[in-house]
Amino acid sequence: MRKKSGIYKYNGKCFRYDYEHAIVEYVAKATAQEKKDNEEWIAKFGKPLWDIDESGYLLIDSIGLSRENWKDKEARNEYLEEYCYQLEDFVASELAGMF
């Protein structure tokens, strides 16, 4: 069995499911600059700055979800809707505190 699903786009964001760990991963395609910075960081410190996989996706965040709920498209979309709301709320509240 595959360890991770393909990319699932929802609400303008990219997600995939890690079947082995029952986790939804919020990912984005790493930019050329992020890849370059990561290579430099590895050369300098011996470990990556960001978690960029072999497909070029950067892991932004993750959250648990049962396999059954991932397979049920309606449940998945409801879950991702709430997750997106929480991500947006977090970003808004963090930025509000910075300025």
Side-chain angles (χ1 to χ4, degrees):
M1 177 178 24
R2 296 181 306 194
K3 291 185 179 183
K4 295 187 181 185
S5 73
I7 298 299
Y8 183 75
K9 294 183 179 183
Y10 185 83
N11 200 18
K13 295 174 176 50
C14 295
F15 300 95
R16 67 181 171 202
Y17 190 73
D18 180 333
Y19 291 102
E20 186 176 355
H21 299 103
I23 293 173
V24 174
E25 297 179 338
Y26 171 31
V27 297
K29 199 69 165 167
T31 65
Q33 184 62 50
E34 288 167 332
K35 291 176 184 177
K36 181 178 180 251
D37 291 346
N38 215 36
E39 289 171 9
E40 290 173 1
W41 194 269
I42 291 169
K44 189 171 184 178
F45 299 106
K47 59 183 179 179
L49 177 60
W50 294 295
D51 184 8
I52 300 174
D53 70 11
E54 62 280 347
S55 300
Y57 281 93
L58 170 68
L59 178 63
I60 299 170
D61 193 34
S62 61
I63 191 166
L65 178 68
S66 72
R67 185 177 301 192
E68 293 77 23
N69 284 334
W70 179 258
K71 289 181 179 181
D72 179 336
K73 188 174 182 178
E74 185 177 334
R76 177 190 331 151
N77 287 348
E78 286 178 21
Y79 188 83
L80 291 177
E81 182 70 29
E82 179 61 28
Y83 186 37
C84 288
Y85 172 77
Q86 290 176 7
L87 288 168
E88 291 164 7
D89 189 48
F90 174 77
V91 169
S93 64
E94 287 297 308
L95 290 178
M98 294 176 71
F99 298 101

